[in-house]
Amino acid sequence: MKRERFEINPRPAEVGGGWQVLLIGRDEETGEEIDMGGGVIPAAEGEDDKDAYADLLEVGEDWLAVDAEA
C-alpha cells in the first residue's frame, strides 16, 4: 500500500472538539484509496487549538515521509 495523503478535520464539540487526522493510502493493485488509520486530539482545556492542529500536521507529514524513504 502506498501512503498517499492525509486529512485533518475538526471534530464536533459534542464529541469533545479538537481534531482528527485520517491517513489515506492507495492500493497499488486496484488504485483505490483506502483508510490506513488515523488519530484524534480532543480539545484540551487551556490548550490552543492551533497547537493540537500543528501536532496532527506533524503526525501526517511524518507518516508520508516514511513512504518517501522506502
Side-chain angles (χ1 to χ4, degrees):
M1 304 301 156
K2 182 175 186 236
R3 295 173 186 207
E4 189 76 14
R5 62 189 177 89
F6 64 93
E7 294 178 5
I8 299 175
N9 300 305
R11 296 177 67 223
E14 302 85 54
V15 296
W19 300 94
Q20 176 183 30
V21 65
L22 303 171
L23 306 175
I24 301 166
R26 188 165 300 276
D27 184 306
E28 292 179 3
E29 291 182 19
T30 66
E32 289 183 46
E33 281 192 343
I34 55 173
D35 178 355
M36 296 184 71
V40 168
I41 295 184
E45 198 170 314
E47 182 182 71
D48 186 342
D49 239 10
K50 291 179 184 178
D51 291 337
Y53 184 91
D55 289 345
L56 285 180
L57 186 61
E58 186 175 336
V59 167
E61 289 172 346
D62 287 348
W63 180 74
L64 287 175
V66 170
D67 195 46
E69 294 171 4

